[in-house]
């Protein structure tokens, strides 16, 4: 077997601690050899718990360290572009949390840089590594016939905090840093559309290909937001995407696709349950629901990233997928503003 | 108890035979005393089976018959306006199959005529008499909080003919008449939008009130059609309606509504199973699913019609609801044509 | 195509009117040419509605009528043995409602008579003609591996009367006859075990083969009864059967079977919904749920009966299946009485 | 708020690492201050990861340590009795993994010792702290009416290892120790009945009270076992319990209870998903499904244990519940052997 990919983690905040570090501890083909966080206390605590030899408060030593082959960037969204750029220029492969960047322009810069360096850049839209969605994609390709229509939904439920309190390990954090970060999410409407849209728009593209146009409506109730988006894909499927934060009750995420010869329904679980999406796939007179056991999409995306580095091929999602997701986010925001159709 | 309402049935085609006549046979407070159909053979056969004393090939004797208090109009859509007009002018109460009329203008004429005559006109969008949808409406009013978003769907499945063959009694028909009717559905796109839209748009209005604007996309694949519609209600809820004919597999119809304090999902059964809609209604930490037994919405609409005639009150849906459904159908068609938003 | 089988219906009570007559009207390969009922009014009304040329108050003319090839016996249970015997001796094929007979001895007589006459006798345990159960049986044979354990249930819910009021057409009946019949169900415990056991025990045998032993417990609460039965099949599967009348809520009927390589769950609908059983069948990493449209098991059993008469083969269930069901009913009753195991 | 209970953990094997330690890290009102394991390496690794000050290879120092108020015993089953006895005699409160002991006699000894010492002994049948089962118990008490019948199931699926590989953190273990333990599960039939029966029999008693008699059948296929048990409760409910190891596919655990006024279905999730049981509770015309977020029954049982120590009351399940479960396990084994009924 190949040598494990030697990885450094940039940003040890909540998502790193609840999703990526437990996955890194178990993922095959990858070895965490350094962490970095603005907070020395957090970096040290994380390194201690997971037995990581090096803990930094600045990524510079990581860029300079030849032992580091790749980085996982889980710093706040607004640093994705800069850190990814620095990593690529330092010759490191990059797995960067979604969204790839805050603007289409920044995302385009990264496309160019990846093309120039030839390095692997994978975007952390980890649902592409969900066994259920992978089954769904194969079904769409093989048995659904031409996709004609679809409806996707991504609803954050107001019971989410309780679920997270149950599922998450204790998180090392500095109160001050947390407060600062929260203040940067002040444009809550933009933040929510970007952070959730990055998932559901990527799922739409994963199953249905590129989107050609969007029309969108938005409604705000104090801290709650909902977007209803009408989309046409390049291939001519017509569909809708609903993004709602928060709805009463449990979170819900999924997509239905209707084709010429079959249909498909995917219900994606809250990721920290570590369950693959439930799939119902109809064709030829029967609904098939595959059973899956390997439900940690964070672990699976790491293993896929490591295999791509060692064996080549296109990372999934790649930098262009990341750009396309950012473009859909921006187009939806624009469509809400102008009230009319935005062509991509 | 009040005297049963003496009813005449105008049009003894398939929907009359599979839905209305079995319902009339059992409905309380209503008595079928005459039938009329262009085909003498069909009128006679139906009258024989159900023990109806009078069978006509023309509605004129019904208009003239003082014993007839009310009519149920189940003739083809294009005759709804004319027959309803004649009935009202003859002083008969009217239960007319949906859609109320083929055009907004014709529907508006009927509104005026109902206002002038003071007679009862109820539109046969019978789902308002489905126990599940009635529960849903009460839940929306009482517990959901302000409705913020919704998604509705109405999909005819390609397995429908097999289901109908199982559920329907043998139908008396003249081959020639059937062929002629089928030829009049030649503008299939318009016909499908009207016949299915009349149901799902009425359900949207029943639960969410009036619609202020629509944007719509349409896709055609030979005989199959799909509409994706983005709607804003007068009260500010944003939602989508999907109408698809045919999709592979079983039919599916329903709506989800998300509010400030709860959510609701309604799954409406294929009506000839005579099962009320399944409802899941979430508020205050629990999903409630009521169980219902009185699942024949056709029978329930007849009984409601009879009660309205005897006891007064607004029929449901009334002529203005029928007009609003026709307006939504037309607006959707227009929105597809112009590609932009249509304000109602 | 073969000539339709000319059939006479013996007994025009409720089950005949709500299940068999609507099925006869549509079944292919079979033609109803006479009916018989103790009540002349009922026989006449039924014959009128369904256009049957002959209506009798005694089956004698049917036995004597050479035009009648076969009879459907839907008279009360206690007449099944006598009427089936008379029919067979008159040279008529027989489809007799379940249970085949009231005692094992009577059922054994019929086995001997069928063997002697070579006529077709099919028992009206119509669920064997349910598409879902037929799929289940094939799955058990082909993919489940050796069946190891099972759990079956048959629960009548207290909402059943409301459902029947919705689904059933108006029934022609004489009040006096009804009262008399009800009085004969005075040994309610025995009646309920026989009438419901005849279905669920037959389903167990249909999927799992013969039963070798039973242990059973019974509990009574006024008019309500429940049996819990522990069974071992001849092939060594261990299982349970629950029969409960009434439970609160909707009726429920089904079976789960676990085998060496897969499992199966069947949920059987209340039959008058005319829906095939829902099946979930697991093997090789996926649950398959077939979709069915031909959901009238009463119609399907008639068509199967007609095909067997015309083309030969074993009717399903045949007279020995009917005997085995009666034996299971009796053994369960005995097991309750003695408190110990009954070997069959 | 009260001082946290100072706890020592005896036995750092797999269940401790995957269930109890992550729960201890988060549970309120309890503080882990020492661990003990036969393997020094395992004790040290666990202590290191969770920041526990003391790691022993023998429990003696724990018995002697006045700072330790309570112990959590997660050593192999055969040590439960001895370690619990030592702990109680050393004046420590005890939370001991299920089953309480290997024999009824040993369990009875512990009942006497608890009575004598007045200390808290809670058995680790943690499902009593599952929010779903707690809701179920309240529903049975308040709305179900007298329980008449029930069916419970506990099926280990052959996909369990894959699920555990996904959900479990890396486990510190010594290969030799693991092999030794496995050899002690050589009487697999007895081991499986005890380890799984301890859960499902406790659930039956939690909802339905004491069991008066059992009849049982068992089938073995190489390493697979299934028990079908017919039970009567002291209150007169008749029911069945199915225990199967392994069945193809996913694990499944649950119970249905039918009462005079309602019914209840509980589906218990594989515990490491940290989801409360799904409940459907029917009464008065509606099925209610509560939503829960606090799904870590291991954490909840720890918090309950700590509260009982600080505030008094009966631990749940207590030592007599533990004894009753052991008695049901033994009675089931005996019932299989003798083929007849065992009265408890």
């Amino acid at each position: 077997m190949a040598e494990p990919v030697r990885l450094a983690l940039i940003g040890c905040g909540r998502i790193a601690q609840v999703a990526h570090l437990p996955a890194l501890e178990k993922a095959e083909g990858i070895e965490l050899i350094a962490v970095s966080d603005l907070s020395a206390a957090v970096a040290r605590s994380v390194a201690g718990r997971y037995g990581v030899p090096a803990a930094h408060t600045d990524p510079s030593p990581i860029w300079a360290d030849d032992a580091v082959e790749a980085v996982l960037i889980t710093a706040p969204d607004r640093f994705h572009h800069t850190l990814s750029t620095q990593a690529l220029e330092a010759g490191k492969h990059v797995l960067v949390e979604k969204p790839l960047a805050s603007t289409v322009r920044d995302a385009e810069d990264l496309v160019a840089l990846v093309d120039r360096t030839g390095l692997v850049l994978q975007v952390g839209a980890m649902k592409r590594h969900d066994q259920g969605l992978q089954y769904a994609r194969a079904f769409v390709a093989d048995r659904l016939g031409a996709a004609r229509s679809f409806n996707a939904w991504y609803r954050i439920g107001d019971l989410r905090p309780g679920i997270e309190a149950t599922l998450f390990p204790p998180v090392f954090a500095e109160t001050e840093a947390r407060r600062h970060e929260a203040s940067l999410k002040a444009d809550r409407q933009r933040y929510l559309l970007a952070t959730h849209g990055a998932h559901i728009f990527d799922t739409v593209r994963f199953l249905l290909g590129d989107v050609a146009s969007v029309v969108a409506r938005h409604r705000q109730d104090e801290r709650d937001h909902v977007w209803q988006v009408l989309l046409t894909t390049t291939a001519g499927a017509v569909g809708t995407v609903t993004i709602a934060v928060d709805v009463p009750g449990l979170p819900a995420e999924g997509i239905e696709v209707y084709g010429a010869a079959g249909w498909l329904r995917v219900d994606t679980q809250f990721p920290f349950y570590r369950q693959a999406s439930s799939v119902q796939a109809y064709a030829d007179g029967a609904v098939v629901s595959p059973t899956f056991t390997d439900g940690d999409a964070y672990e699976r995306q790491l293993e896929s990233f490591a295999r791509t580095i060692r064996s080549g091929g296109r990372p999934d999602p790649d930098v262009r997928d990341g750009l396309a997701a950012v473009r859909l986010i921006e187009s939806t925001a624009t469509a809400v503003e102008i009230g009319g159709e935005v062509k991509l």
Side-chain angles (χ1 to χ4, degrees), chain A:
Chain A
M1 216 204 294
E3 278 286 290
V5 168
R6 295 179 304 279
L7 184 94
L9 174 69
I10 317 272
C12 299
R14 202 172 77 134
I15 192 65
Q17 293 184 48
V18 304
H20 297 288
L21 283 158
L24 275 164
E25 193 174 25
K26 295 173 65 188
E28 290 185 17
I30 201 156
E31 187 187 351
L32 181 62
I33 63 170
V35 300
S36 163
D37 194 87
L38 286 179
S39 156
V42 169
R44 259 199 319 271
S45 299
V46 163
R49 172 155 187 144
Y50 289 97
V52 184
H56 308 287
T57 57
D58 182 282
S60 307
I62 289 168
W63 307 147
D65 184 352
D66 284 350
V68 173
E69 296 174 83
V71 294
L72 167 55
I73 298 172
T74 54
D77 296 4
R78 67 186 184 286
F79 301 122
H80 288 179
H81 169 252
T82 306
L83 288 168
S84 296
T85 302
Q86 291 175 353
L88 290 165
E89 288 181 341
K92 314 298 187 196
H93 303 292
V94 171
L95 173 54
V96 56
E97 258 291 354
K98 39 64 42 182
L100 172 62
S102 302
T103 64
V104 166
R105 170 159 307 208
D106 283 355
E108 285 171 340
D109 283 353
L110 286 169
V111 170
L113 189 55
V114 167
D115 284 353
R116 179 159 62 74
T117 60
L119 291 162
V120 171
L121 184 147
Q122 181 174 319
V123 180
M126 82 293 180
K127 291 172 204 267
R128 291 199 181 211
H129 300 278
D130 172 321
Q131 286 185 299
L133 275 164
Q134 292 181 335
Y135 181 97
R137 183 173 154 108
F139 183 85
V140 168
D142 299 344
R143 302 199 57 201
L144 183 95
R148 295 175 174 178
S149 66
F150 62 95
N151 300 87
W153 58 94
Y154 191 103
R155 296 189 181 94
I156 299 294
D158 64 11
L159 296 178
R160 184 165 120 156
I163 298 171
E164 292 182 350
T166 295
L167 297 180
F168 287 180
V171 171
F172 308 112
E174 287 194 357
T175 313
E176 188 47 44
R178 274 213 170 166
R179 195 171 301 140
H180 180 61
E181 268 316 307
S183 75
L184 295 169
K185 295 176 185 169
D187 183 353
R188 184 170 160 84
Q189 178 174 342
R190 185 191 179 85
Y191 166 74
L192 293 174
L193 180 61
T195 199
H196 301 308
H199 279 307
I200 194 67
F201 287 138
D202 190 62
T203 295
V204 167
R205 287 190 64 258
F206 186 52
L207 297 184
L208 290 144
D210 280 325
V211 172
S213 86
V214 298
V215 183
R217 296 290 177 266
H218 167 260
R219 173 183 165 124
Q220 178 172 0
D221 294 88
E222 300 183 8
R223 288 179 58 77
D224 293 345
H225 293 260
V226 57
W227 289 263
Q228 296 280 22
V229 192
L230 184 61
L231 306 91
T232 306
T233 70
T234 305
V238 288
T240 68
V241 171
T242 302
I243 299 172
V245 191
D246 286 355
V247 296
L250 298 172
E253 176 185 352
I255 187 167
E256 288 184 315
V257 184
Y258 285 82
W263 58 257
L264 176 79
R265 179 182 171 116
V266 180
D267 284 276
T268 296
Q269 315 303 321
F270 187 57
F272 302 98
Y273 282 124
R274 297 193 175 106
Q275 290 183 304
S277 293
S278 297
V279 178
Q280 298 169 71
Y282 173 85
D284 296 325
V287 179
V288 176
S289 294
T291 48
F292 301 112
T293 59
D294 187 2
D296 188 339
Y298 289 103
E299 184 182 342
R300 290 172 60 87
Q301 89 172 344
L302 283 165
E303 293 174 342
S304 178
F305 178 57
R307 280 194 306 271
T308 305
I309 292 171
R310 284 292 174 261
S311 313
R314 198 184 67 82
D316 197 27
D318 70 8
V319 71
R320 284 181 169 78
D321 294 316
L323 165 60
V326 174
R327 189 166 277 150
L328 264 165
I329 293 162
E330 275 199 12
S331 300
T332 299
T334 304
V336 166
E337 276 166 39
I338 66 173
E341 182 176 52
V342 174
K343 308 223 182 233
L344 278 88

